[in-house]
Amino acid sequence: MNAARGRDTAHLLADFGHQLPTLHKPAPPAREARLFPPTPRHGVRQRGRGWAPASAPVSVWRMTSDQAPVLWPLIAAPGLPPTGAQMGIDHLSGGSFYADPNGWVLDDAIPVTNPNIFAFGKPGRGKSGTVKAFCLRMMDFGYRTLILGDPKDEYEKLCRALGVQPFAIGHGLGARINPLAFGPLAQGWADLPTAEAQRRAAIVFGRWLTLVRGLVGSQRLGDAHVPFGPTDEVVVKTALAHLTGYTAGNTRLTETTIPQLWRLLDQPTAELVTECRYATERQFLDETRLLRDALGQLVSGALAGLFDDHTTIAVDWTAPIQSLSLSRLEALGDEAIGIALTCLNSWGRGMRELAMPGDLRIVVRDESWKQLRLGPDAVKSFDADLRLSRRDGDIQFAVAHKPSDLLSAGDADSQATAIAKDLLHLADIKILHGQDQAVGEELERLLGLGPIAQDLVTGWAMHGKGRALWCVGDRQYKVATLLHPAEAALAYTNDALDSAR
Ligand SMILES: Nc1ncnc2c1ncn2[C@@H]1O[C@H](COP(=O)(O)OP(=O)(O)OP(=O)(O)O)[C@@H](O)[C@H]1O
Ligand SMILES: [Mg+2]
């Protein structure tokens, strides 16, 4: 008995003649042989072995899994499978981050129902760099890329590196695009059964109407946009049916152009006037004046000679990438570029209408805010493109500066704003690059980001190019896209500033 600890209960009772039964103590278990030699607290003091002068400050926390997400809300997102493009580092898990939009749609465990991507970010934060890395890395999985309008010609280096010559669109250049092209849907028209011909006609006419609505509606009448109502729709649709020979039930349809459409409306035939239910030619001309003048602007306006004749470029759809450079239009202003993008989108959509199964493509719309700012009808035409993506398997990748670019199409409560808000939800994947503090609140309002995610976008993501918060459905990942030096050379967009060094 240790004197310092005094007498214990057993001794005390023994003094009074009670003997407590003694408890048999089990032998201590034999220690297992060490598998690894013990490591000193500061690591092994040897070159290359990780010795540290101070031990790592590890704090231990204990809480339930209910409470943990309150303290570390961003750690809660479960990992994504390692399939698709390896983009860089997931800073929350410390592992690699892989992007595979179509794979995510097919995986029921991931809350994504469409493969569309919207990327937002302040200029120069690495949005286009991420697009380029994504497209390049997806090529290994059989994806081809279509750059539907490159307003800064910044994809040219990438195209050339892949052995493809991009098409340049501008005044005085040979390349013309007909947004009223049929695309592959007109193939073998003569042999199509009636039901199939009607189905295809509905798709083609639908696309053309969306385009004309977008083009007419992008023009302004004072503060308001030129209206395009149901009567205008009937007139345009009937005129297009006449021009293509669809009305006459031809076995071969004739491709038409915007100037031809405008000319027919300007000098309507007697059949067109009657079919559109106007009493006289005079009445037809009076009531379609606004429509005709708006279309006339496209024929004789800034973009004349670019989108008003038959397509002159032969696109090789089997090439890994195709791009349409638009920098030559820059001097014409944002609006002209927006209209050019609307025309290209319609054409591009037509070209993809009969995509073969397995022909996987990433359709990139960089600087899409220029189109979205044109007005509600341009937003609708954009919306139509995104809705199609699930049908044809394309990944639509749109790049804008901030979510409210989509809202500038109309007044706060207008229909355009409602459509633009819906449009945001049409892309289940959003990549949020760095933003100024002022935009942070908007991210909360329009995308419902919590304060922590908002801080990441306005803080962490601003401190490095390529850093972004990836929202995959309602899960969030803190990702830094890493560029290989060869990719960095292809993604370099600061050439103009180099002389300032
Ligand atoms: N992940 C990255 N790591 C390092 N540098 C990058 C990364 N992404 C882009 N950069 C560099 O940052 C510069 C600007 O990038 P980028 O052109 O992609 O920005 P952006 O957000 O598309 O800008 P803008 O809105 O003006 O189009 C480029 O010179 C590019 O080389
Ligand atoms: Mg860019």
Side-chain angles (χ1 to χ4, degrees):
M1 179 65 230
N2 186 335
R5 288 164 92 195
R7 290 154 65 79
D8 64 7
T9 319
H11 279 94
L12 192 67
L13 289 174
D15 288 350
F16 293 92
H18 295 281
Q19 294 298 329
L20 284 182
T22 49
L23 191 67
H24 173 72
K25 270 197 187 157
R31 286 183 76 168
E32 269 181 49
R34 279 182 187 274
L35 271 181
F36 304 103
T39 316
R41 272 171 75 84
H42 295 285
V44 181
R45 192 171 196 141
Q46 205 178 320
R47 198 182 170 82
R49 296 298 296 278
W51 182 84
S55 52
V58 180
S59 60
V60 180
W61 300 71
R62 229 174 224 221
M63 61 188 70
T64 65
S65 50
D66 264 5
Q67 295 156 349
V70 179
L71 271 184
W72 291 287
L74 286 162
I75 291 182
L80 293 167
T83 56
Q86 189 177 15
M87 296 304 296
I89 296 180
D90 175 347
H91 276 257
L92 291 177
S93 71
S96 280
F97 181 83
Y98 292 81
D100 184 13
N102 278 330
W104 292 342
V105 173
L106 294 175
D107 187 340
D108 285 343
I110 301 170
V112 161
T113 56
N114 66 61
N116 299 329
I117 309 177
F118 263 129
F120 296 107
K122 223 189 139 184
R125 295 266 39 104
K127 299 183 293 296
S128 307
T130 298
V131 175
K132 287 167 204 162
F134 175 73
C135 295
L136 202 52
R137 294 168 195 183
M138 286 303 263
M139 281 175 196
D140 289 344
F141 302 96
Y143 284 82
R144 298 193 179 96
T145 302
L146 172 63
I147 311 290
L148 218 39
D150 175 8
K152 297 186 197 157
D153 291 4
E154 56 178 301
Y155 289 84
E156 290 197 341
K157 273 191 262 180
L158 182 64
C159 292
R160 297 210 173 94
L162 292 164
V164 175
Q165 184 59 31
F167 296 105
I169 295 180
H171 292 288
L173 300 176
R176 280 188 186 194
I177 300 280
N178 183 11
L180 293 184
F182 274 106
L185 281 186
Q187 279 167 15
W189 189 266
D191 307 323
L192 291 179
T194 323
E196 175 62 9
Q198 279 172 353
R199 188 186 73 85
R200 290 192 181 187
I203 298 176
V204 174
F205 281 95
R207 169 164 62 84
W208 289 341
L209 270 183
T210 311
L211 168 77
V212 176
R213 187 188 297 122
L215 293 177
V216 171
S218 68
Q219 303 199 25
R220 283 179 178 275
L221 204 64
D223 272 349
H225 290 280
V226 174
F228 188 84
T231 319
D232 301 304
E233 204 164 292
V234 170
V235 169
V236 169
K237 199 168 171 185
T238 317
L240 284 171
H242 274 260
L243 285 166
T244 53
Y246 184 70
T247 319
N250 291 358
T251 50
R252 270 185 72 97
L253 297 184
T254 322
E255 186 174 294
T256 188
T257 60
I258 291 180
Q260 282 174 356
L261 173 66
W262 174 69
R263 229 167 286 128
L264 177 62
L265 296 182
D266 217 34
Q267 291 151 19
T269 55
E271 297 102 82
L272 183 67
V273 173
T274 355
E275 218 172 301
C276 296
R277 289 172 290 124
Y278 287 99
T280 59
E281 185 182 322
R282 185 72 262 150
Q283 191 200 6
F284 179 96
L285 288 175
D286 285 344
E287 295 191 8
T288 58
R289 184 179 301 275
L290 196 54
L291 170 67
R292 286 182 297 121
D293 288 350
L295 273 178
Q297 271 300 315
L298 297 167
V299 178
S300 57
L303 291 173
L306 297 176
F307 298 99
D308 52 4
D309 209 342
H310 297 285
T311 308
T312 56
I313 58 173
V315 181
D316 172 10
W317 295 103
T318 59
I321 188 168
Q322 286 295 356
S323 173
L324 298 143
S325 301
L326 296 182
S327 75
R328 289 151 191 90
L329 305 185
E330 201 172 352
L332 305 178
D334 282 352
E335 195 168 309
I337 295 188
I339 293 177
L341 289 174
T342 311
C343 291
L344 280 186
N345 282 348
S346 174
W347 170 82
R349 210 169 103 206
M351 293 299 135
R352 299 290 302 144
E353 257 153 11
L354 262 196
M356 300 298 282
D359 174 6
L360 301 167
R361 211 164 287 258
I362 305 166
V363 181
V364 176
R365 299 144 198 276
D366 208 333
E367 309 277 322
S368 62
W369 56 275
K370 291 191 177 168
Q371 182 189 347
L372 295 170
R373 277 221 304 229
L374 285 183
D377 290 314
V379 173
K380 274 188 208 155
S381 127
F382 195 83
D383 178 290
D385 291 335
L386 292 196
R387 280 178 201 276
L388 279 175
S389 71
R390 250 168 67 87
R391 203 192 61 194
D392 50 27
D394 286 355
I395 297 176
Q396 306 279 345
F397 201 144
V399 181
H401 286 152
K402 50 187 193 305
S404 60
D405 284 342
L406 280 69
L407 306 188
S408 46
D411 306 329
D413 301 320
S414 66
Q415 180 211 16
T417 312
I419 296 171
K421 276 190 181 157
D422 275 356
L423 192 58
L424 272 179
H425 298 296
L426 275 185
D428 273 351
I429 306 161
K430 294 177 192 84
I431 309 178
L432 308 177
H433 290 267
Q435 294 283 9
D436 283 336
Q437 208 68 40
V439 185
E441 178 267 333
E442 180 186 309
L443 296 175
E444 163 67 31
R445 187 164 42 87
L446 292 173
L447 301 179
L449 285 193
I452 296 183
Q454 207 177 308
D455 278 353
L456 272 182
V457 173
T458 52
W460 176 80
M462 285 297 277
H463 300 143
K465 287 175 180 152
R467 286 185 177 187
L469 183 74
W470 285 59
C471 305
V472 178
D474 57 2
R475 300 187 191 171
Q476 294 165 342
Y477 300 88
K478 183 180 169 186
V479 180
T481 301
L482 295 185
L483 299 181
H484 182 275
E487 285 174 324
L490 297 177
Y492 192 67
T493 52
N494 287 342
D495 315 67
L497 302 177
D498 278 347
S499 50
R501 280 184 201 278

